[in-house]
Amino acid sequence: MLKQVFLRNVQGGGSTHSLKQRIKRGFTIMELVIVIAVIAVLAAVLIPTFANVIDRANQSSDQQAVYNMNISLAAADATDKPENVTEVWTILSEDGMDAKSFTALADDYKLVWDSGINRVLYVERETNTVVYPENYTDRTESDDVVWYDLGTGERSGDDSWYNSNTESQSYTINVGEESHPFNGAVQKISNEAQLVSFSQMIRSGEIPNKGEGLIIELQNDIALTGEWVPISEYAGIFNGNGKTISGLAMTNSSLEYEGREIGSTTANQYRPYGFVAVFSGEYFGNVTFSDVNINTPGPVNTSNHTVAVAVGAVINDTEKNIVDNVTVSSGTVTSAYRVAGIVGFAGGSSSNPMQGEIIISNCENCASITSTLQVNTYGTAAGILSTSNQMTSGSEIIIRDNVNSGKIEGQTAGGIVGTTFGASSDGGKIYIYENTNSGDVTAHHNATYEERLKKDAGGKPIYSSENEIKYTDNGVYIFKLELAAKAAGIVTSQTDQPNAFVYNNTNTGTIYASNDSAATSAYCTNAEQIGYSTYQLDMKDTDTSAADNEKNKAEGQASTQYTNN
């Protein structure tokens, strides 16, 4: 009897709950709400506390770094006090500190170099006040006290020049002997801090639409004292007004490119650097750059890393882009790949090919231009324009009335233009005329190769698509047609470009090309020394070919001979 009662209770037949039911019972909704509320309260209390602990730790690390840097700078005071931020980087690097790659760990702070006292200061961003070292907390920026960002080398800007309410007006600029009318809101820049501010406001987007509809007019000569961070992309008008910008320096190899993506046919994105990285406006010119010091700015992470003084790349987004009356009077420009005195690249991108017109005219380069990559045609150096590409039928690039007297050196080196692409039978047209080169042009091909070529019985390499060679720097394949060093007074030879027209140019510079290393001499075709220009690899005489004459005559243009000293 007792056994039956027990069984009924266990099975739910009695007045007590079953053991199974008690085990499966979960939290009620009210209990869950209470638990979640408690967790939220704890998170609200503890997370800021943890964040503050981390921030204080970051500040402490930052201040320790500032302390160590200032010890090095104090030692330099007694021997060779730095005159600019580039020299500061050198001093700190010699003591094992890579200041160019250092940024404050704490988000609300920055590190600056005060040129007046030669010390690194730890500054709160929002208030722009010194936090550390304590004995410099009364230090502030003024006309006599200039601060430079320790990571970029850029000085602080002054945005007092900019008035967003300025109305558009008609504006005329002389291009050669012709007057060109433009429209835009004129903004006048008078000093270095304002010019730096212009770059900063374009990069940050404070000036909308990349400056489209804006006309920048310089009022004075401007001496730059810090590292220049390129204007990322400018779509307005820049009139130098006959003034000189001196001391343009871009030597920071850690400086990241901030402009638009510019695709190429080889999938190597263009990464242009210059006073303006990308220019897509109607007019840039009437300005001189002196005492230029450009040496491989930014990480070289693409074969189309492109460097020039005035404009890294002219991208044709409008009906016409004009670069006119730009002079580089002195200095040096050195980088690995595409290098030029005035413009690095002209054309469009693979996703948006050029459809209008680009004119580069009345420009002069006197600086030394060097491409250090002596391996293939990416190592292109030129006085005026390094390379072009991405052109559609109906588009035109005109290179006229330019002068180069600077020394040009690279694997593919041209006094006026390095290489031309985009002028194929289904592409646009390129006109190169009335240009003068008096600078010496030197081409070298000098690379170390991995052994990847089969050889014949006489020890000569056998060329085939499956039997290429690699150069050992970073494993980029080198094709047979790229193996020769190429130098020319006006523009180097290239593969067939039937829509490229080169005429009435003059070269008086010394042209020299050589294949330097033992590997290069063994594996390369003969070096090419061309006094003027040609677009067929087998045309090496110093006169224009019959084919070139007929092509030029068809365009109604007279072709002339060129001198080759």
Side-chain angles (χ1 to χ4, degrees), residues 282-295:
E282 294 180 89
Y283 175 89
F284 180 99
N286 203 15
V287 64
T288 295
F289 294 91
S290 67
D291 300 322
V292 171
N293 178 23
I294 299 177
N295 189 352

Side-chain angles (χ1 to χ4, degrees), residues 51 87 138 148 244 262 386 389 492:
E87 294 180 3
D138 59 345
Y148 299 85
T244 296
I262 305 174
S386 183
N389 212 339
T492 61

Side-chain angles (χ1 to χ4, degrees), residues 317-366:
D317 285 343
T318 62
E319 180 180 345
K320 181 184 295 185
N321 311 100
I322 298 173
V323 176
D324 180 78
N325 193 24
V326 176
T327 297
V328 180
S329 63
S330 60
T332 59
V333 184
T334 303
S335 193
Y337 294 98
R338 314 289 196 187
V339 192
I342 306 299
V343 175
F345 170 82
S349 66
S350 55
S351 60
N352 185 27
M354 151 180 197
Q355 299 183 32
E357 183 180 28
I358 294 175
I359 299 173
I360 303 174
S361 58
N362 303 301
C363 296
E364 181 176 3
N365 173 66
C366 305

Side-chain angles (χ1 to χ4, degrees), residues 26-105:
F27 290 110
T28 66
I29 292 177
M30 182 59 71
E31 289 171 332
L32 289 173
V33 169
I34 293 172
V35 170
I36 292 171
V38 170
I39 293 174
V41 170
L42 290 173
V45 172
L46 295 177
I47 289 177
T49 301
F50 290 146
N52 288 335
V53 170
I54 293 172
D55 190 59
R56 285 197 296 271
N58 287 337
Q59 290 182 45
S60 178
S61 296
D62 290 340
Q63 291 176 15
Q64 184 60 47
V66 170
Y67 176 81
N68 292 335
M69 292 178 188
N70 284 338
I71 288 177
S72 295
L73 294 179
D77 284 342
T79 55
D80 189 14
K81 185 176 180 179
E83 296 183 357
N84 53 56
V85 72
T86 304
E87 294 180 3
V88 170
W89 289 339
T90 300
I91 291 169
L92 297 179
S93 177
E94 290 173 351
D95 287 341
M97 292 172 277
D98 185 7
K100 289 186 288 187
S101 300
F102 191 92
T103 57
L105 297 175

Side-chain angles (χ1 to χ4, degrees), residues 151-219:
T152 65
E154 184 179 43
R155 68 157 292 165
S156 298
D158 170 18
D159 61 5
S160 62
W161 62 278
Y162 181 64
N163 181 0
S164 60
N165 296 318
T166 302
E167 295 184 358
S168 181
Q169 65 184 65
S170 60
Y171 191 87
T172 301
I173 300 175
N174 290 329
V175 178
E177 297 179 356
E178 299 179 2
S179 295
H180 282 246
F182 299 99
N183 288 287
V186 178
Q187 306 279 356
K188 298 181 179 182
I189 289 178
S190 301
N191 56 46
E192 180 190 13
Q194 292 177 354
L195 192 61
V196 169
S197 166
F198 170 48
S199 175
Q200 292 171 338
M201 294 177 76
I202 289 288
R203 285 165 15 224
S204 68
E206 290 180 72
I207 296 176
N209 303 319
K210 303 169 187 173
E212 184 177 358
L214 200 65
I215 298 175
I216 297 296
E217 183 182 277
L218 297 187
Q219 301 301 295

Side-chain angles (χ1 to χ4, degrees), residues 433-474:
Y433 63 94
E434 303 291 352
N435 301 285
T436 300
N437 174 65
S438 61
D440 293 344
V441 182
T442 303
H444 294 283
H445 190 279
N446 187 0
T448 302
Y449 291 97
E450 296 176 5
E451 291 287 346
R452 289 183 178 269
L453 284 174
K454 296 178 182 179
K455 300 178 182 179
D456 61 19
K460 295 294 184 181
I462 302 171
Y463 290 104
S464 70
S465 58
E466 295 82 19
N467 190 28
E468 295 291 351
I469 56 179
K470 278 186 175 183
Y471 73 93
T472 57
D473 289 350
N474 52 22

Side-chain angles (χ1 to χ4, degrees), residues 135 200 257 309 439 502 534:
N135 54 321
Q200 292 171 338
Y257 170 67
V309 177
V502 183
T534 183

